[in-house]
Amino acid sequence: MNKISVSSLKKGDRFSKPVYLDADTVFISSNSPISDADLERLSKFGITEVFSDGSKIDRSDAPAFSPKSQEDKLPFLDQSEDGLRLKVIYDKITHNRYEFDSLYSSTLETVQKAYKSIADGKNVEVREFREVGEKIVDFVKANPQVAVYLNSQTQTGYYLFNQVVSATFFSILLGSHLDYSRPKLIDLSFAGLFADIGMSLISSQISEKTTVLDENDRKIIMKHTLTGYQVLTQKVKLKNALAVVCLQHHENFDGTGYPQRMAGNSIEEFSRIYTIADNFSALSAKRPYRTAFLPHDAIKMMIGEMVTKFDLKMVRLFLNILSMYPLGSYVELSDGRIAMVVDVNKDKPIRPSVRIIKESNGEKVRTLQFCNLGLDLQVYITSAVDSKKATS
């Protein structure tokens, strides 16, 4: 990678590829502008050089970002240390929303095209998968609050493709907290995007059935892991260490899964990670036969009645990353206000930091307000609410 002198960087500079602090630590993702806070961070830690394989983008060629909404322009009056900290987090979330939407959309398109090619008996362009996998890894490493986007977006299109993409993002988030190296995260991303390729070979009359599946339907569905594994190893020529996620992502830690009823650490680590991400994505998304669960209800099910299905160490880590009221989800507070979760308090999973959206009388707030429930112990969450109640 090329060295870049920090003294040459200016607010608003963008690069065609991610900028790194070292071999594994992303400083700024591709096409993301450098902010004053970013420059301050470099100065504070005495960093004089950063690294990138990309080049600086001419400002006239920089992508057009969506205009700010009225909510993004709300005045901010809280000058407390914690308020300012949450304002920095929230500003980064809103600023990088466009980049996430663009990446999610392009990933969805890549997955859809590849799965359709397999269904039509054609070859898959593996290079495209690796490229998009690299972009996902770099974005997640640069945006630890990525779950805000995943849990607050309105998904469109076929549920399966959305589930694959969402689960891959969550897998990389979990892998990042396991301190995986960038190459290892790229492999995990690559494996995740291919994980449900076998579903492309199942008739839509079964995969999109709106009524309860009968025993024969279930047997056909359960074959998709083995069928997909065979496609990946024999036709796509994917190495076994990655294709095995497709084979094992419905194996359960307690041995109750399929196709081989494997248990415990005999299930590959990549597969154990993806299983957690896949289950959360599936539960919190609408399916042909049921409505979506709220993210809070999905995480509650996973650490409750479903907990034996997962590697306990990893599902606990997943809870620590998202909190009981996952980032991006909406909640009602004890004083009647409605808020969105924007940051996690790791030692207090039921007391995250939130951005207030509505006053207790139902009116939208006129200023940008945050509440750290880890510090303000007079207020607590009474319930999770859906996006319609929160934003209408």
Side-chain angles (χ1 to χ4, degrees):
M1 289 191 285
N2 299 318
K3 291 183 180 179
I4 303 166
S5 172
V6 168
S7 63
S8 69
L9 298 178
K10 297 180 179 63
K11 178 183 177 181
D13 282 351
R14 305 174 191 267
F15 288 80
S16 58
K17 291 190 175 180
V19 178
Y20 291 83
L21 297 177
D22 54 43
D24 288 322
T25 307
V26 175
F27 169 54
I28 292 291
S29 53
S30 59
N31 288 322
S32 184
I34 295 174
S35 67
D36 284 333
D38 294 323
L39 295 174
E40 269 181 41
R41 186 155 52 106
L42 294 175
S43 176
K44 178 180 179 181
F45 290 102
I47 297 171
T48 59
E49 292 178 332
V50 290
F51 309 88
S52 180
D53 285 327
S55 56
K56 188 181 293 187
I57 299 172
D58 186 280
R59 299 202 180 201
S60 62
D61 295 331
F65 281 73
S66 55
K68 287 189 173 184
S69 68
Q70 289 301 313
E71 289 192 350
D72 294 332
K73 298 176 182 177
L74 292 175
F76 180 66
L77 306 178
D78 182 2
Q79 296 300 305
S80 68
E81 182 178 348
D82 196 64
L84 292 171
R85 178 187 68 84
L86 291 171
K87 174 70 160 52
V88 169
I89 292 172
Y90 182 73
D91 282 349
K92 186 172 184 180
I93 290 170
T94 55
H95 183 80
N96 291 340
R97 178 89 212 199
Y98 177 90
E99 186 182 354
F100 169 80
D101 288 343
S102 178
L103 176 56
Y104 188 94
S105 179
S106 64
T107 305
L108 197 66
E109 185 178 338
T110 299
V111 169
Q112 181 174 336
K113 183 170 69 172
Y115 281 41
K116 188 176 187 305
S117 292
I118 292 298
D120 293 340
K122 300 176 182 177
N123 292 325
V124 171
E125 181 53 71
V126 174
R127 177 180 56 81
E128 292 183 11
F129 264 58
R130 182 159 290 278
E131 288 177 355
V132 79
E134 290 178 357
K135 291 178 181 178
I136 291 172
V137 168
D138 291 335
F139 185 86
V140 172
K141 285 174 71 67
N143 296 275
Q145 260 79 18
V146 65
V148 170
Y149 308 128
L150 294 164
N151 289 326
S152 63
Q153 68 174 338
T154 301
Q155 295 182 349
T156 58
Y158 186 34
Y159 80 89
L160 176 65
F161 304 140
N162 278 288
Q163 183 175 322
V164 167
V165 175
S166 179
T168 300
F169 270 95
F170 279 121
S171 294
I172 301 308
L173 188 59
L174 189 47
S176 295
H177 281 76
L178 290 167
D179 294 326
Y180 279 7
S181 66
R182 182 171 182 267
K184 193 171 182 178
L185 286 172
I186 291 171
D187 277 350
L188 177 58
S189 180
F190 201 38
L193 293 173
F194 275 121
D196 256 325
I197 197 82
M199 287 294 292
S200 64
L201 300 174
I202 292 177
S203 167
S204 60
Q205 292 181 323
I206 296 176
S207 62
E208 298 181 49
K209 197 170 183 179
T210 57
T211 55
V212 177
L213 299 177
D214 59 31
E215 186 62 27
N216 187 56
D217 293 336
R218 282 195 292 273
K219 287 181 179 178
I220 293 173
I221 290 285
M222 289 171 68
K223 289 180 180 177
H224 82 277
T225 54
L226 181 58
T227 303
Y229 176 74
Q230 291 169 338
V231 167
L232 293 178
T233 53
Q234 297 171 18
K235 187 170 184 176
V236 181
K237 305 298 183 184
L238 197 65
K239 61 183 180 181
N240 185 71
L242 303 185
V244 75
V245 174
C246 175
L247 179 66
Q248 295 180 352
H249 71 284
H250 283 290
E251 299 286 5
N252 295 334
F253 206 72
D254 61 5
T256 61
Y258 65 87
Q260 297 172 293
R261 297 181 71 84
M262 300 175 74
N265 291 335
S266 62
I267 304 169
E268 294 294 329
E269 187 167 275
F270 272 14
S271 303
R272 284 179 269 143
I273 289 172
Y274 189 81
T275 295
I276 291 170
D278 186 50
N279 272 270
F280 181 76
S281 298
L283 289 169
S284 54
K286 182 180 179 181
R287 301 296 288 270
Y289 54 88
R290 63 159 172 79
T291 58
F293 289 98
L294 293 176
H296 166 68
D297 293 331
I299 202 82
K300 189 166 66 171
M301 291 170 67
M302 288 178 63
I303 64 170
E305 61 198 75
M306 297 170 63
V307 71
T308 59
K309 293 174 60 174
F310 311 117
D311 181 328
L312 188 57
K313 179 188 73 174
M314 289 187 181
V315 80
R316 281 175 175 164
L317 177 58
F318 195 64
L319 171 63
N320 287 341
I321 296 168
L322 294 190
S323 89
M324 272 302 298
Y325 296 93
L327 290 168
S329 63
Y330 299 97
V331 295
E332 183 169 351
L333 303 180
S334 55
D335 57 12
R337 291 180 295 173
I338 303 294
M340 183 178 80
V341 180
V342 296
D343 194 32
V344 171
N345 289 312
K346 292 182 180 179
D347 297 330
K348 299 175 181 177
I350 62 171
R351 300 191 71 84
S353 294
V354 299
R355 183 219 152 183
I356 307 301
I357 295 175
K358 287 183 178 180
E359 303 286 7
S360 57
N361 61 6
E363 291 186 5
K364 290 186 178 181
V365 296
R366 299 178 183 275
T367 59
L368 187 57
Q369 302 174 32
F370 301 101
C371 181
N372 184 341
L373 299 176
L375 298 177
D376 188 351
L377 302 182
Q378 302 303 310
V379 184
Y380 55 91
I381 295 172
T382 55
S383 65
V385 299
D386 61 31
S387 58
K388 186 176 180 180
K389 179 176 179 179
T391 60
S392 62

